[in-house]
Amino acid sequence: MKITINGQTEEYQGDPQMPLLWYLRDELHMTGTKYGCGMALCGACTVHVDGQPVRSCRLPMAGVDGKSVTTIEGLSSHNDHPLQVAWAQHNVPQCGYCQSGQIMQAAALLEKNQAPTDSDIDSAMAGNICRCGTYPRIRAAIKSAARGDAK
Amino acid sequence: MSNQFQPQRRQFLKQVSGTAGLTLGVAMLPASRVVGASDVVGEALSPNLFVTLEPNGDVNITCHRSEMGQQIRTAVAQIIADELEADWQRVTVLQAKGDPAYGDQNTDGSRSVRRNMERLRQAGATAALMLRRAAAEGWQVSADECVCDNHKVIHSASGRSVDYSELVAVAAGLPVPDSDQVSLKPRNQWRYIGKAIASVDLTSVVSGNAVYGQDVQLDGMLVAVIQRPPVLYTRPKSIDDKAARKIPGVVDIIEMPGASAPALFAPLGGVAVVAKNTWSALQGVQALKITWSTNEHSTYHSESEKQRLIDTAQQAGETVRQRGDAQAVLAASEHTHSATYYAPLLAQAPMEPPAATAWVEDNRVQIWACTQTPQATRKFVSEALGLSPEVVEVNVTLLGGGFGRKSKPDFSVEAALLSKQTGTPVKVVWRREDDIQNGYYHTVSAQYLQAALDSDGTTVAWRHNTVFPSISSTFSPDAVSPSSGELDLGFIDNPFSIDNMLLEKGQAKPHVRIGWLRSVANVYHAFAIQSFADELAHKAKQDSKAYLLKLIGPARMIDLTEDGAEYGNYGDPIDKYPIDTGRLRNVIERVCKLANWDQRGQQGRYLGLAAHRSFLTYVATVVEVTVNDSGEWRIPNVYMSIDAGTVVNEGNVKAQCEGGAIYGLSCAIGELSAAKGAITQSNFHNYQVARMQHSPANIEVDIVDSVAPPGGVGEPPTPPFTPALANALFAATGKRIRELPIPLTIR
Ligand code: FES
Ligand code: FES
């Protein structure tokens, strides 16, 4: 099968049941997408498939055949996606482990909702756990990216 | 000129560290580049283990503590760069390997700054003095006339200045000055210390390039997932691995050595599936059919054990602190009040489950792990392999959270055993299920409190009995009683000024491995004490804040020896870090001002207050709740005031307060239970942790400006959160919460 990862076409011939997460991490050595639960419960593994946020830990390779995947490594060319900039401005990360997933989830939210309210943010981000408790800053950073303050 | 000094420098390096390479430590590079991190090259200036100036003047600062989100890598660099007068843009932070040369590296107990600040300042100032001396030599002036200023040495009398890069070679040849020749900057000249400087790892995190334990990749590496025994110390009775072996990519199935009491830091045993990649290993372990032996822990049910703990707490315990005669006053009093508090087992559940990679060769062992404790890793790995610690190199990756779980090196030992057996590098990946079901748990606890009030509602007697399986049971199989180390955490150091006080402990047997979790015993002790104080305020029909201040009494230094109690004070001297009720009162006053406590009634807001000293730091928290008609509660605001003495990074102190509060929320709503000896929960669908929608929408943090010695920061924000929340929910609903977890809907 053929998959586009961050704009590059990749051939895959392995187990079609293998979740995308392990393909990214073990085969492509792109470890920005994290493992946190393996059951679509924490959001650490969030990537975009054809622009939609998905949990790569539960998405078999068969499901991405012919599709286009964006990971944190491919979100922007110079770490300058408005959310990455906002994340830096608000000093969001603590340990950082959840943050690739948080940023990818938030990026998908901003794609379809340019001015999310608190409850829009709550419901979009409900599946992304941060054990360090950076939620208030995540919320603030999403808002400032949405306002266009993060440049 | 510099050449003639070279031998001297080499000799110095050998003396302090054995090899020059150690001064570099290992950078947070992708694993492929970590292997073989190079020696110091050229004419670098390395006066000590922590600071190296490269020939071009760039500064490498080695952080010997583990980074798990508390931004210690940034804080260490701030401290050293400040005394060194380094240009922040020219500073790179390297990560130290595990080596006793650094002194203690066990990153727990909120002590990285308080135990290291002076020596790190000294390390930076030593390099600065050598640079000044080098410049003075060149200018033929006295070093006393020269000052360091932002990567330059300046001789103001003659208006000359020189960049550090031009001084490195000369300075490298100078003798390293004794510490008594080195003077530290006065506080008002601090350039970086105290400032909210952004994390040095920020860019690597937001770009997805940061390397954690789970991310390590080596050429030819195999991945192992282990099915560990569901019940402590049980062993496989039979293993059917036929299906597992058929899974493509599975290389081997290996039974791990079984564990027995005491748990120590040893692996739990079980059956490992070693495979070419993580997916194969995960599938392989799913396909194993194992039957397990049974033992005395196989009958452990958390529900029946809960009753046993409560019964014990309600009986007389063993006295650990006594003042006056609480029993007699209680017996004679007309106004008494009592309550039982209970808190369940919890898992630390760091976002990154434990992971370690080992490469065991004939006489060389390399470990890469998200460990809080690289030296213990080195020790336990070497013991497990029967090698001397010197041949074990422990590389510390970033930690995707630790919270105490990663201060046990068991996962590195597993990787080392498997690498030895397979002859290849092996990464052991803990699943979330393993993390939750095979952990070192935050202990379950029951506490009984009794108080007598006089006719004015003043508390005149206080009795508190605490019962929980102790962490010491992890190290000694006979330990069935809370250890003094745990009683020191917010129990024996009760700050209340009550004439009659009796503090007791009771016995409890462990059925799981008990370990540390952020703030440890402070979490449940603060929950009980600060909630019960609120109960007494209510009983006395007095304002909670006023009542709490009355319980604490006047500003004073508490001397526990007067009550016949021994107290460890977090390992620090009591005269340097007294129990200062004035500071505790101060954070209460400040947080109540911030929260507009006095206006809460008129404003129709429901607030709860709690304050607690832990890790030598004082924190007061006010939680505001709203409760809707169906009983669902939310937290619109949290207010915190922290007095942590001198702070190194204001921004990180604030972040730790926010994170500590939300971690406290997880402690309040989370619960592990056990049936037939095994933990019932397995992943985030049934182990509840705080998510965004339940977390405080807004957290305001007030940091007391203090010149007192630095206290802890990573842990102290957690303990007051749960009681403040419970007190707020009481204010809103009239329901007193004495048992955790707090349901998300209060009826
Ligand atoms: S790892 Fe995929 S959602 Fe947790
Ligand atoms: S920053 Fe550590 S889990 Fe989110």
Side-chain angles (χ1 to χ4, degrees):
Chain A
M1 49 184 95
K2 273 197 172 44
I3 314 144
T4 309
I5 309 269
N6 297 334
Q8 242 175 289
T9 309
E10 305 281 348
E11 287 272 352
Y12 177 73
Q13 267 146 24
D15 179 0
Q17 290 312 309
M18 177 162 82
L20 172 62
L21 174 67
W22 302 116
Y23 174 66
L24 294 171
R25 290 177 57 81
D26 285 356
E27 296 202 16
L28 300 184
H29 293 190
M30 290 169 53
T31 54
T33 306
K34 302 299 185 198
Y35 164 75
C37 71
M39 282 182 65
L41 297 166
C42 78
C45 65
T46 305
V47 300
H48 298 173
V49 176
D50 288 348
Q52 296 300 312
V54 295
R55 308 297 187 226
S56 62
C57 68
R58 297 299 277 185
L59 181 65
M61 291 301 287
V64 284
D65 189 10
K67 302 205 166 151
S68 172
V69 175
T70 306
T71 70
I72 185 73
E73 290 93 342
L75 182 64
S76 64
S77 36
H78 299 99
N79 307 325
D80 54 358
H81 185 283
L83 283 168
Q84 287 169 309
V85 176
W87 246 242
Q89 277 176 358
H90 289 265
N91 283 305
V92 173
Q94 288 189 26
C95 81
Y97 194 80
C98 72
Q99 300 296 348
S100 312
Q102 305 277 6
I103 291 171
M104 294 309 285
Q105 184 70 22
L109 166 68
L110 290 189
E111 277 299 314
K112 45 175 217 242
N113 182 349
Q114 271 93 54
T117 62
D118 276 334
S119 72
D120 293 340
I121 294 174
D122 271 3
S123 49
M125 305 303 293
N128 288 73
I129 295 172
C130 174
R131 289 293 284 147
C132 297
T134 63
Y135 301 123
R137 289 179 192 234
I138 289 173
R139 192 194 303 267
I142 292 174
K143 285 186 183 169
S144 77
R147 280 194 307 265
D149 300 353
K151 293 236 171 66
Chain B
M1 173 182 175
S2 55
N3 278 346
Q4 71 193 81
F5 295 108
Q6 187 65 4
Q8 215 174 342
R9 187 180 76 86
R10 285 286 172 208
Q11 192 182 8
F12 171 74
L13 287 170
K14 281 214 182 71
Q15 282 165 2
V16 294
S17 66
T19 76
L22 284 173
T23 61
L24 255 188
V26 70
M28 281 302 168
L29 298 170
S32 54
R33 282 186 281 149
V34 169
V35 183
S38 66
D39 255 16
V40 177
V41 287
E43 312 302 326
L45 167 63
S46 292
N48 51 60
L49 288 165
F50 299 103
V51 49
T52 299
L53 276 88
E54 297 287 358
N56 67 0
D58 286 354
V59 174
N60 292 328
I61 288 174
T62 299
C63 176
H64 65 302
R65 315 285 295 178
S66 297
E67 179 59 65
M68 45 193 170
Q70 81 282 41
Q71 312 308 343
I72 192 60
R73 285 162 50 81
T74 307
V76 163
Q78 279 178 268
I79 295 167
I80 292 176
D82 202 312
E83 291 291 346
L84 178 57
E85 274 292 323
D87 175 351
W88 189 248
Q89 300 309 319
R90 291 166 76 176
V91 170
T92 300
V93 181
L94 308 176
Q95 189 66 33
K97 299 177 196 213
D99 191 319
Y102 293 103
D104 178 68
Q105 288 181 275
N106 184 10
T107 313
D108 69 2
S110 295
R111 57 194 169 182
S112 291
V113 167
R114 77 182 140 100
R115 292 283 174 78
N116 289 282
M117 186 158 172
E118 289 311 307
R119 63 195 281 247
L120 295 176
R121 290 179 69 194
Q122 192 79 29
T126 301
L129 177 57
M130 292 171 79
L131 291 161
R132 270 167 54 211
R133 285 181 174 171
E137 202 176 288
W139 290 329
Q140 298 290 303
V141 298
S142 152
D144 294 342
E145 296 167 30
C146 302
V147 293
C148 291
D149 183 7
N150 201 25
H151 239 87
K152 284 188 169 53
V153 178
I154 295 173
H155 183 247
S156 36
S158 63
R160 284 175 294 190
S161 75
V162 57
D163 189 86
Y164 285 177
S165 57
E166 293 176 49
L167 298 169
V168 170
V170 179
L174 299 175
V176 177
D178 287 340
S179 60
D180 56 5
Q181 295 171 26
V182 176
S183 55
L184 302 179
K185 284 161 75 173
R187 186 177 271 262
N188 62 11
Q189 283 173 26
W190 282 350
R191 180 187 284 278
Y192 303 122
I193 299 173
K195 304 278 157 50
I197 292 176
S199 163
V200 295
D201 297 311
L202 191 52
T203 305
S204 71
V205 166
V206 299
S207 62
N209 290 316
V211 176
Y212 300 83
Q214 290 268 358
D215 299 336
V216 171
Q217 317 250 354
L218 301 182
D219 287 343
M221 177 186 88
L222 298 174
V223 178
V225 175
I226 302 174
Q227 184 60 56
R228 296 172 191 79
V231 178
L232 188 60
Y233 307 138
T234 57
R235 312 272 170 110
K237 257 192 349 202
S238 69
I239 304 167
D240 174 357
D241 62 7
K242 282 195 277 306
R245 285 190 186 274
K246 286 204 188 102
I247 287 168
V250 169
V251 173
D252 205 353
I253 313 263
I254 296 168
E255 186 175 348
M256 305 293 288
S260 49
L264 305 173
F265 294 147
L268 275 178
V271 183
V273 175
V274 185
K276 293 213 171 97
N277 59 56
T278 318
W279 174 236
S280 298
L282 288 167
Q283 283 178 293
V285 103
Q286 286 288 340
L288 288 173
K289 293 189 192 72
I290 308 169
T291 57
W292 300 93
S293 67
T294 56
N295 62 20
E296 80 265 32
H297 301 301
S298 305
T299 52
Y300 168 47
H301 285 269
S302 50
E303 263 314 297
S304 44
E305 189 61 23
K306 170 180 171 183
Q307 198 50 53
R308 214 184 340 263
L309 291 171
I310 288 172
D311 291 347
T312 307
Q314 291 175 349
Q315 289 155 21
E318 180 186 335
T319 299
V320 294
R321 179 179 164 194
Q322 187 165 24
R323 178 161 73 221
D325 191 345
Q327 299 277 47
V329 177
L330 279 161
S333 172
E334 282 173 30
H335 307 284
T336 61
H337 186 62
S338 65
T340 303
Y341 282 81
Y342 175 80
L345 288 173
L346 296 173
Q348 299 85 353
M351 203 67 236
E352 175 198 32
T357 302
W359 187 1
V360 179
E361 297 170 279
D362 279 351
N363 228 342
R364 181 176 187 212
V365 180
Q366 295 171 87
I367 304 283
W368 294 262
C370 48
T371 177
Q372 290 177 241
T373 179
Q375 287 178 39
T377 299
R378 202 181 192 207
K379 176 173 183 285
F380 279 82
V381 165
S382 65
E383 283 175 14
L385 297 175
L387 296 168
S388 79
E390 286 71 36
V391 304
V392 179
E393 177 183 293
V394 178
N395 302 287
V396 182
T397 66
L398 290 176
L399 282 65
F403 310 121
R405 170 60 186 93
K406 293 171 182 170
S407 50
K408 328 293 190 302
D410 55 316
F411 49 103
S412 290
V413 177
E414 291 174 334
L417 292 172
L418 288 168
S419 174
K420 182 178 174 164
Q421 183 139 356
T422 58
T424 54
V426 172
K427 172 163 72 176
V428 168
V429 168
W430 279 55
R431 298 166 296 179
R432 177 59 61 199
E433 289 79 2
D434 305 321
D435 176 55
I436 290 181
Q437 302 198 310
N438 294 118
Y440 284 88
Y441 301 99
H442 178 68
T443 199
V444 53
S445 60
Q447 301 170 71
Y448 182 69
L449 296 100
Q450 263 183 311
L453 309 188
D454 68 11
S455 51
D456 300 335
T458 303
T459 301
V460 290
W462 173 282
R463 180 181 162 237
H464 184 179
N465 190 12
T466 185
V467 179
F468 52 89
S470 168
I471 290 173
S472 40
S473 64
T474 295
F475 304 97
S476 148
D478 309 324
V480 290
S481 189
S483 66
S484 62
E486 290 158 306
L487 298 173
D488 281 356
L489 307 182
F491 180 75
I492 210 158
D493 49 341
N494 182 315
F496 294 163
S497 169
I498 301 169
D499 289 340
N500 302 285
M501 190 184 267
L502 176 63
L503 305 186
E504 301 163 292
K505 64 171 180 175
Q507 297 198 343
K509 271 197 172 159
H511 295 288
V512 293
R513 299 188 295 183
I514 310 288
W516 302 274
L517 171 145
R518 191 178 197 167
S519 302
V520 200
N522 284 296
V523 181
Y524 44 89
H525 287 146
F527 169 52
I529 293 170
Q530 294 292 307
S531 299
F532 195 62
D534 196 64
E535 292 200 44
L536 297 179
H538 185 70
K539 183 153 173 85
K541 298 192 174 54
Q542 294 178 26
D543 174 71
S544 298
K545 174 201 165 194
Y547 202 84
L548 181 57
L549 288 172
K550 205 160 81 174
L551 280 170
I552 292 167
R556 68 198 184 284
M557 310 296 172
I558 294 180
D559 180 3
L560 292 171
T561 58
E562 281 176 5
D563 299 345
E566 282 173 27
Y567 180 55
N569 203 34
Y570 299 89
D572 275 302
I574 195 83
D575 48 345
K576 185 173 173 195
Y577 290 101
I579 305 173
D580 183 344
T581 56
R583 291 173 75 184
L584 189 61
R585 294 181 65 95
N586 184 44
V587 289
I588 292 171
E589 293 287 6
R590 291 173 72 120
V591 81
C592 285
K593 197 159 165 225
L594 191 66
N596 210 353
W597 175 268
D598 291 336
Q599 301 295 308
R600 68 195 189 287
Q602 293 94 302
Q603 295 171 339
R605 293 152 71 227
Y606 297 112
L607 306 185
L609 165 69
H612 190 75
R613 171 188 183 268
S614 65
F615 304 92
L616 315 169
T617 285
Y618 304 79
V619 179
T621 301
V622 169
V623 171
E624 177 174 352
V625 295
T626 58
V627 185
N628 71 13
D629 292 341
S630 27
E632 290 163 359
W633 48 270
R634 285 286 187 274
I635 306 172
N637 291 296
V638 170
Y639 308 89
M640 304 175 78
S641 181
I642 180 169
D643 178 352
T646 299
V647 305
V648 171
N649 189 313
E650 210 178 67
N652 293 335
V653 172
K654 186 168 185 299
Q656 286 303 302
C657 284
E658 295 165 6
I662 293 172
Y663 202 83
L665 173 61
S666 288
C667 292
I669 64 176
E671 172 185 33
L672 292 181
S673 56
K676 293 187 183 161
I679 297 295
T680 319
Q681 292 75 13
S682 58
N683 208 318
F684 291 125
H685 62 297
N686 51 14
Y687 182 54
Q688 180 159 256
V689 298
R691 291 178 182 266
M692 184 183 272
Q693 66 271 30
H694 302 121
S695 296
N698 173 50
I699 303 178
E700 283 179 43
V701 178
D702 159 62
I703 302 171
V704 175
D705 192 12
S706 167
V707 296
V713 169
E715 295 172 272
T718 295
F721 185 84
T722 300
L725 171 62
N727 293 341
L729 289 169
F730 177 78
T733 66
K735 302 254 163 52
R736 180 58 66 185
I737 291 152
R738 300 193 180 98
E739 200 173 287
L740 301 182
I742 302 177
L744 294 178
T745 302
I746 305 236
R747 288 201 190 82

